[in-house]
Amino acid sequence: MDQQILNAIFIGSIYALFAVGYTLVFGILDILNLAHSAVFMLGAALTYSLVVTHGQPFWIGAVLGVAASALIGLVIEHVCLRPLRRRQAPPIAALISTIGLALVIVAAVEQGKSGSLFSWLWVDGANSVAFPPGTVPNPTWHIGDLTLEASKVLIIPISIALMLILGYVMRFTQVGRGLRAVAENPRAARLMGLDVDRMISLTLVISSALGGLAGILFGLALGDISPYIGRDNVEVRGLAVIVLGGMGSIPGAVIGGYLLGLIEILALVTFGSNARGGVAFAALFLMLVLRPQGLFGTRLRERI
Amino acid sequence: MDFFIQLLSDPIGFWNSHTLLISQIGINGVVATSMFLVLYSGQLSLAAPGFMAIGAYTSVLMELHWHTPVVLNVAVAVILAGIVGLLVGLPVLRLRGVFLAIATIGFIEALHLGVILNVPITGEGLGLQHEADPLGGVPIILVSLVAVVFVVWRLTKGRLGSAWSAIRQDEIAALSQGIHVARYKMIAFIASALIASYAGALEAHLNFFVDPGDSQYGVTRAVQVLTFAVLGGSGFVIGPVVGALIVTLLPYIFEGAGDYINIIAGIFLIAVIIFRPQGIVGRGGLAIVRPAWWPRSRVSAPSPG
């Protein structure tokens, strides 16, 4: 049981890191970026290819993986969001265009086999792979009944540090003030001399970099990298996390991530592995019905 | 390309060799129409796959265990979906926009992962197998599609349709005009549940097999149905049907892409939605997007004051 709670904290950290990016975009644009889970997958897949196929050290792979994710953030903004914003299209259109981009990214990785157009990106097709042991030093400790692996334990301080930095930037710096102003009222922000388009690009870059990093950590700790890890593990769970914490709230996404990790592990222990997903979604449903603004949300914004 | 050449040169042979595809288009069209109903009344509900699952499992289980006639099975399935729709709608329809979408995703995933994959009577992960096709194949599906589209079209032209339109455009204004917003939203939600469950029952009988996969009754299907409706255009009843037709045919339209079909399909999706955010069927022409570096056309407007 203790081990299970520890696992809940590991997986919760990854959920939180993923959901922070999700909620950042929703908080500022009121748009659900459904390509976020594809970016999560791409970060992990690209790092794996750099390390295993191209023989780079892990830290170079990770840095390039995060950089590529950030770049995809720019693609999301320039291809999927900005043209629609110019046209003042309904937000539901942005939902579809980001789904389209997610489809492209997943299909590109899925078709990455030796000899195909995307063999530089990925060579294992639809298979699931893991980093070879020894990619990162991974000492293991035993304390009582608990098994602590460094690769899993390190996720916790990394996630918490990143989320604290993000919280600090949002609250206390000039850039953060700009972002919050755009979230509050883009028109007024523009009148105050802010470059709204640039702020939104920045949001997508930060969000996607965090998403890609969450994917890399996921691949490292759980030893499961495939074109479908985004769709199967975090796409809908990310929604559950940001709803539990309150849409658009960064501390909410953090608490929501750990809460979902805990709920899932409790369901796993109590009802067995089949019930895991179902219980999480029942919790999500109840939360929306009983307290739609989430744990930390203060108001509901309705635009779609 | 062969696909379209055969469609034009040899329609009868085409019909005979593509019955499964044609009926899938018909069923997707019916589901898309159910999505249209909720979108038309201003509700972003993604619950359709959940009601399809109810329709499919109820009708097939009745057939397998009680050997009742197929008409009765489908009728019971549809009524059951209506009741579930009422029970789900009561708490959920207070939510709007993205929140409603996420709540309905919670509903379908809880149903899919929690009930269908966990209760022995549904065959869990293996699905349900059943014998013959009592419906007689394609004609009944196409007739159903036409009938459903016609009924929904009549509904949108009547009193209900005006109320839904008013609610979609501005809920508060509709309320102030004396429209019973909660009631009309519930009617749209239940009607959409009935249609989706009918489509689910049809699909289960068409395939001889109820497949419990995510692409059938999970989020993947919900996203696909939303794509039908938004891509086709949710302003007119025929829009989502056109969307269903095009999305279902995408692998044939881009036959030459081979393995890269999903990449091309994704790019196509983005392109359509950027150049026609209102959908393929809708008012207005192509939205030409002006790049930032393109010079702004000079507009001569009288200066105020």
Side-chain angles (χ1 to χ4, degrees):
Chain A
M1 187 64 204
D2 292 346
Q3 183 74 47
Q4 298 285 14
I5 290 178
L6 210 57
N7 286 343
I9 298 175
F10 297 144
I11 196 76
S13 300
I14 292 174
Y15 290 163
L17 203 52
F18 176 82
V20 164
Y22 229 156
T23 209
L24 193 63
V25 173
F26 186 82
I28 287 172
L29 290 172
D30 278 358
I31 282 171
L32 280 181
N33 169 19
L34 291 181
H36 200 50
S37 59
V39 173
F40 173 91
M41 182 276 294
L42 189 72
L46 196 65
T47 305
Y48 175 83
S49 300
L50 283 170
V51 171
V52 176
T53 318
H54 302 281
Q56 300 298 319
F58 176 76
W59 66 272
I60 290 187
V63 167
L64 288 180
V66 172
S69 308
L71 208 62
I72 296 288
L74 280 183
V75 173
I76 296 173
E77 155 67 0
H78 284 270
V79 174
C80 300
L81 303 182
R82 188 170 290 180
L84 291 174
R85 207 160 56 236
R86 291 263 158 81
R87 278 286 296 176
Q88 295 174 339
I92 191 175
L95 217 59
I96 301 293
S97 66
T98 53
I99 289 172
L101 189 68
L103 194 64
V104 172
I105 295 175
V106 173
V109 175
E110 199 179 25
Q111 291 305 327
K113 301 173 186 112
S114 52
S116 83
L117 276 180
F118 296 97
S119 55
W120 53 274
L121 175 63
W122 179 252
V123 289
D124 290 288
N127 300 329
S128 166
V129 292
F131 283 108
T135 307
V136 288
N138 191 13
T140 308
W141 300 281
H142 297 277
I143 303 173
D145 305 340
L146 299 179
T147 307
L148 297 175
E149 284 176 70
S151 65
K152 287 187 178 176
V153 175
L154 269 180
I155 291 176
I156 301 171
I158 292 177
S159 317
I160 292 179
L162 278 172
M163 292 183 289
L164 283 179
I165 293 172
L166 184 66
Y168 173 81
V169 168
M170 288 302 284
R171 199 159 286 266
F172 297 111
T173 64
Q174 200 60 39
V175 173
R177 268 181 219 115
L179 290 174
R180 281 185 290 143
V182 174
E184 198 63 41
N185 187 337
R187 202 180 154 83
R190 182 166 289 142
L191 292 176
M192 295 295 117
L194 277 171
D195 188 342
V196 173
D197 279 345
R198 209 162 118 198
M199 284 295 164
I200 293 176
S201 300
L202 183 66
T203 309
L204 263 305
V205 166
I206 298 175
S207 151
S208 300
L210 288 174
L213 184 65
I216 296 171
L217 292 177
F218 180 91
L220 195 61
L222 280 94
D224 171 21
I225 305 173
S226 80
Y228 312 114
I229 56 171
R231 190 193 67 192
D232 293 346
N233 292 293
V234 288
E235 183 174 28
V236 192
R237 290 209 181 98
L239 288 181
V241 168
I242 58 180
V243 164
L244 286 175
M247 303 281 278
S249 149
I250 291 175
V254 177
I255 303 291
Y258 288 109
L259 192 62
L260 184 72
L262 207 59
I263 292 175
E264 284 197 339
I265 295 291
L266 286 181
L268 183 74
V269 173
T270 323
F271 302 108
S273 64
N274 276 340
R276 185 175 172 184
V279 170
F281 290 107
L284 159 72
F285 186 78
L286 281 181
M287 190 69 179
L288 269 174
V289 168
L290 299 176
R291 192 177 156 81
Q293 68 272 47
L295 290 174
F296 286 81
T298 44
R299 70 218 154 100
L300 280 185
R301 275 192 286 176
E302 299 143 356
R303 272 216 222 142
I304 283 191
Chain B
M1 215 68 255
D2 295 345
F3 180 81
F4 292 100
I5 292 172
Q6 193 191 8
L7 175 61
L8 294 176
S9 63
D10 180 16
I12 296 171
F14 178 84
W15 173 276
N16 290 332
S17 57
H18 289 94
T19 45
L20 208 58
L21 176 68
I22 295 169
S23 26
Q24 195 61 53
I25 292 173
I27 286 164
N28 284 344
V30 176
V31 189
T33 311
S34 114
M35 189 77 203
F36 165 81
L37 257 183
V38 275
L39 288 180
Y40 194 76
S41 58
Q43 311 173 67
L44 185 54
S45 155
L46 298 178
F51 296 121
M52 287 176 76
I54 292 174
Y57 278 98
T58 311
S59 59
V60 172
L61 282 174
M62 282 179 72
E63 184 188 308
L64 286 178
H65 291 280
W66 297 336
H67 308 288
T68 38
V70 64
V71 178
L72 179 70
N73 295 343
V74 175
V76 170
V78 168
I79 292 168
L80 185 66
I83 295 169
V84 175
L86 180 70
L87 295 179
V88 173
L90 279 177
V92 157
L93 291 190
R94 293 180 303 145
L95 303 169
R96 289 184 199 94
V98 163
F99 293 88
L100 178 61
I102 298 175
T104 47
I105 285 179
F107 159 67
I108 60 176
E109 284 291 295
L111 185 69
H112 178 234
L113 299 173
V115 178
I116 293 178
L117 295 182
N118 271 311
V119 181
I121 197 175
T122 60
E124 297 185 0
L126 298 174
L128 290 174
Q129 205 101 33
H130 62 110
E131 291 301 312
D133 173 14
L135 295 173
V138 188
I140 183 87
I141 288 168
L142 294 185
V143 170
S144 307
L145 174 63
V146 172
V148 165
V149 168
F150 179 75
V151 168
V152 170
W153 177 66
R154 287 311 306 163
L155 286 181
T156 60
K157 291 293 163 201
R159 207 182 148 74
L160 267 176
S162 314
W164 287 334
S165 235
I167 294 170
R168 184 188 67 229
Q169 281 159 31
D170 191 335
E171 204 171 308
I172 296 169
L175 198 63
S176 73
Q177 295 298 312
I179 295 173
H180 199 311
V181 170
R183 182 187 301 158
Y184 283 104
K185 276 177 145 184
M186 183 60 94
I187 293 174
F189 190 75
I190 291 178
S192 136
L194 299 179
I195 297 173
S197 123
Y198 180 62
L202 281 185
E203 191 174 53
H205 284 94
L206 171 80
N207 291 335
F208 305 105
F209 176 59
V210 186
D211 171 15
D214 182 61
S215 59
Q216 203 63 24
Y217 303 119
V219 177
T220 312
R221 190 64 182 265
V223 166
Q224 191 197 26
V225 177
L226 179 69
T227 310
F228 295 158
V230 176
L231 191 78
S234 51
F236 299 91
V237 64
I238 204 68
V241 180
V242 172
L245 177 75
I246 290 177
V247 174
T248 316
L249 284 182
L250 273 183
Y252 297 91
I253 297 175
F254 296 114
E255 221 170 2
D259 282 348
Y260 304 109
I261 168 69
N262 277 337
I263 297 175
I264 305 292
I267 293 171
F268 174 77
L269 205 60
I270 298 174
V272 169
I273 216 69
I274 283 175
F275 291 114
R276 279 193 70 84
Q278 73 275 47
I280 292 170
V281 180
R283 294 199 174 85
L286 284 181
I288 304 301
V289 188
R290 183 180 61 86
W293 43 265
W294 195 262
R296 200 180 281 271
S297 61
R298 297 185 67 86
V299 181
S300 57
S303 61

